[in-house]
Amino acid sequence: MQARFEELIAADERIEPRDWMPEAYRKTLVRQIAQHAHSEIIGMQPEGNWITRAPSLRRKAILLAKVQDEAGHGLYLYAAAETLGVDRADLLDALHSGRQKYSSIFNYPTLTWADIGAIGWLVDGAAIINQIPLQRCSYGPYARAMVRICKEESFHQRQGFELLYDLAHGTAEQHAMAQDALNRWWWPSLMMFGPPDAESAHSAQSMAWRIKRHSNDELRQRFVDISVPQAEALGLTIPDPDLRWNEERGHHDFGVIDWTEFQEVLAGNGPCNRQRVAARVRAHEDGEWVRQAALAYAAKHSADGRD
Ligand code: FAQ
């Protein structure tokens, strides 16, 4: 069984739920897919905060659609995790009790409308760079979920860039607001890719299993290289005095990331950690009657033999 699993991985074929897999492979996938699903639904909060304050009907419709897409991504991902034999209710419980993480980026506040543009451009942009290789992840249900998610993230990234472009080319105040959003979101976006390779506990094994295809630092570098010309097109300055093109490497060098801040956010001490988890727990409790009603409806249907 182990040999068959290794053969499939070596041949770059997909592992499906019916296939035998090592317990550690299953656990790693549950950990990563659950963290990813949690990030999608917690990630609805920072932008959801601006739906009622969007400056036009067009912007409001776009933002509503985007936030709904994130809920949909959460659902696909919980469903992908369930194919590994875990229960969605248990995963949500692990999120609510702090036993499982969600992305550090969603613990920062959205202070102005420009933050909605910065999230689309940078946060969705980083998410795409991380997720495109996951479309080729060795676990079939996760890889397939990524295909649709990446298509939607690409619309999200474009709407954010366009929003920020309008602000950056608007009045002096609007330009300043766009620059301020970039100043606050740049460094946390770089942290989304995870700790440096030398400190990444799971990378080597996940790459051997072809769950991850590139290291955290490789993807972070790709994000910096892609973002520099985009910031130029926006007419905004990336807040890093050490950022410069390195001819020899063929990449941009960039400044040192504040990993203490990252560790603090992971430990629950970021600017909004408590608020985000409390809002999630409240939403879950408020939804109890919906779950009860759905269960009662399903029980009634199966009793009637209609299921
Ligand atoms: N935040 O050994 P590694 C989105 C944890 S995009 C929090 O390097 P790994 C779209 C890591 O879990 C965001 N924790 O780990 C959207 C591990 O802790 P553990 C979600 C982090 O797994 C946009 C420890 O540090 N995307 O939601 C972070 O090999 C707008 C050691 O790290 C995904 O989840 C972090 N930034 O690599 C939604 C993508 N980084 O579990 C709404 C899928 C690391 O041992 C609005 N995930 N940690 O307790 C991945 O690609 C990987 O899991 C990494 C981390 C790259 C995130």
Side-chain angles (χ1 to χ4, degrees), residues 28 31-33 35-44 46-47 66 70 73 99-107 119-120 123-128 130-131 134 142 146 149 153 156 188 191-196 199-204 206 212 216 219 262-263 265-266:
T28 291
R31 179 186 63 75
Q32 177 166 328
I33 301 174
Q35 170 181 303
H36 197 165
H38 300 330
S39 304
E40 299 283 357
I41 61 166
I42 294 270
M44 296 167 73
E47 290 167 284
K66 178 187 191 296
E70 310 300 359
H73 298 174
R99 279 180 289 122
Q100 277 177 351
K101 298 184 170 77
Y102 56 89
S103 181
S104 50
I105 193 74
F106 302 117
N107 291 304
I119 291 181
V123 176
D124 286 277
I128 295 169
N130 169 272
Q131 285 166 199
L134 290 176
Y142 191 29
M146 274 311 122
I149 293 181
E153 299 291 25
H156 298 169
M191 295 175 197
M192 283 176 73
F193 295 93
E199 283 149 45
S200 164
H202 306 293
S203 278
S206 288
K212 282 168 92 159
N216 297 355
L219 294 176
F262 176 72
Q263 291 306 339
V265 174
L266 258 58

Side-chain angles (χ1 to χ4, degrees), residues 75-147:
L75 296 183
Y76 311 146
L77 288 164
Y78 285 120
E82 283 183 315
T83 65
L84 292 156
V86 287
D87 191 74
R88 186 179 308 203
D90 294 337
L91 298 180
L92 285 171
D93 191 50
L95 168 65
H96 299 158
S97 62
R99 279 180 289 122
Q100 277 177 351
K101 298 184 170 77
Y102 56 89
S103 181
S104 50
I105 193 74
F106 302 117
N107 291 304
Y108 292 86
T110 39
L111 303 179
T112 72
W113 174 248
D115 289 13
I116 301 306
I119 291 181
W121 172 40
L122 297 173
V123 176
D124 286 277
I128 295 169
I129 288 174
N130 169 272
Q131 285 166 199
I132 283 184
L134 290 176
Q135 294 179 122
R136 291 183 298 120
C137 162
S138 58
Y139 188 59
Y142 191 29
R144 289 188 289 274
M146 274 311 122
V147 175

Side-chain angles (χ1 to χ4, degrees), residues 6 103 132-133 139 154-155 163 171-172 210 223 251 261 281:
E6 272 155 25
S103 181
I132 283 184
Y139 188 59
S154 134
F155 150 68
L163 191 167
T171 64
R210 300 200 174 167
F223 175 71
H251 290 291
E261 174 180 322
V281 170

Side-chain angles (χ1 to χ4, degrees), residues 7-39:
E7 230 174 76
L8 286 172
I9 296 283
D12 212 355
E13 302 237 357
R14 299 291 160 266
I15 307 295
E16 296 298 338
R18 62 174 181 272
D19 294 329
W20 182 90
M21 61 188 84
E23 183 54 17
Y25 175 82
R26 192 186 72 81
K27 278 201 170 136
T28 291
L29 280 165
V30 169
R31 179 186 63 75
Q32 177 166 328
I33 301 174
Q35 170 181 303
H36 197 165
H38 300 330
S39 304

